[in-house]
Amino acid sequence: MSTPAPGRHAAPEQGVPGAFTSLRHALRLLEAVDRHPGGATLVTLARETSLGLPTVRRLAEILEIEGYLRCQDGGWVLGGTFALLGQHNREQLVRARMERKLDDLRDELGAAVYFVRYHEGELSVEAVSASDQAPAVQEWVDFRATAHASAIGKCLLSQLDHDGRRDHLSRHPVARLTSRTVTDADQLMHRLERQPATVPVLDIQEYALGTVCAAVPVTAGSTVGCLATSMPVGDVHRLKAAAELLAARAAPLMLAMAV
């Protein structure tokens, strides 16, 4: 017996026409319920689907058991199972949206753009948008161990509480990377505590000679994150305007990450 190709309309197999009929009826019922976000009675659903009331009641009860429908104040609404559908692909969808936003911002700035989070006690680079014309900074020392010397790291640390900062620095002690790196832990803590939440954090050749960076907080719920850019030191005159643009784009970025 030949098997219908996936995605093609398959005729009911002999001996089980009732199963296909019930499936079609269930789909029509779900579509009718979806048209009534405030809830619909069984009588209303029977009328809109042209199905008998006993059939609608039986299907509604089965779909309720499976979580696709629920009865609320005498009316039927879609159930919580629908909220779980597609969750497997949610991360991919969020990443695709974020990457598009970062690419647009990279082209607008003419510089590499980064989205970074502080997750489980460590700095985590979630996404980088760079190109030949807008190269990313060379990670010559692990970003996770050099938060004290980068705009990204200082922006993330400034969002932690005092104990959180101390904990991080106890695991990743300050070290000199360039002549401009702050290597006094108390001085660094003082600067972090005084960093205004609305003011971009800058790195003028503290992590790497020849590179300047800016970072702004990206906040959503419990997320500790930042949006950042880097460019050659010769473009330092563009850094302030770039930081202001990052700040303006932070909120739209978080919206793009919401599904």
Side-chain angles (χ1 to χ4, degrees), residues 115-176:
F115 174 64
V116 187
R117 286 198 308 154
Y118 194 79
H119 182 63
E120 295 183 348
E122 298 292 349
L123 184 154
S124 174
V125 179
E126 300 292 316
V128 180
S129 180
S131 67
D132 291 341
Q133 294 72 36
V137 63
Q138 182 180 358
E139 188 178 357
W140 74 283
V141 182
D142 193 331
F143 286 144
R144 292 173 298 179
T146 56
H148 67 284
S150 68
I152 286 172
K154 289 184 290 182
C155 185
L156 295 174
L157 292 177
S158 70
Q159 297 177 60
L160 305 181
D161 59 20
H162 180 86
D163 291 340
R165 296 179 192 125
R166 282 294 184 193
D167 173 70
H168 182 89
L169 295 178
S170 70
R171 292 181 287 107
H172 300 292
V174 298
R176 185 177 299 280

Side-chain angles (χ1 to χ4, degrees), residues 71-157:
C71 190
Q72 176 180 285
D73 298 329
W76 290 84
V77 297
L78 295 180
T81 297
F82 279 102
L84 301 177
L85 297 179
Q87 285 296 306
H88 178 71
N89 296 318
R90 182 181 186 276
E91 183 177 347
Q92 290 180 318
L93 178 59
V94 169
R95 176 164 289 277
R97 287 182 175 183
M98 178 173 62
E99 289 176 348
R100 286 196 299 270
K101 287 290 184 180
L102 292 182
D103 287 347
D104 290 343
L105 184 53
R106 177 203 66 205
D107 293 342
E108 191 173 3
L109 284 172
V113 180
Y114 314 77
F115 174 64
V116 187
R117 286 198 308 154
Y118 194 79
H119 182 63
E120 295 183 348
E122 298 292 349
L123 184 154
S124 174
V125 179
E126 300 292 316
V128 180
S129 180
S131 67
D132 291 341
Q133 294 72 36
V137 63
Q138 182 180 358
E139 188 178 357
W140 74 283
V141 182
D142 193 331
F143 286 144
R144 292 173 298 179
T146 56
H148 67 284
S150 68
I152 286 172
K154 289 184 290 182
C155 185
L156 295 174
L157 292 177

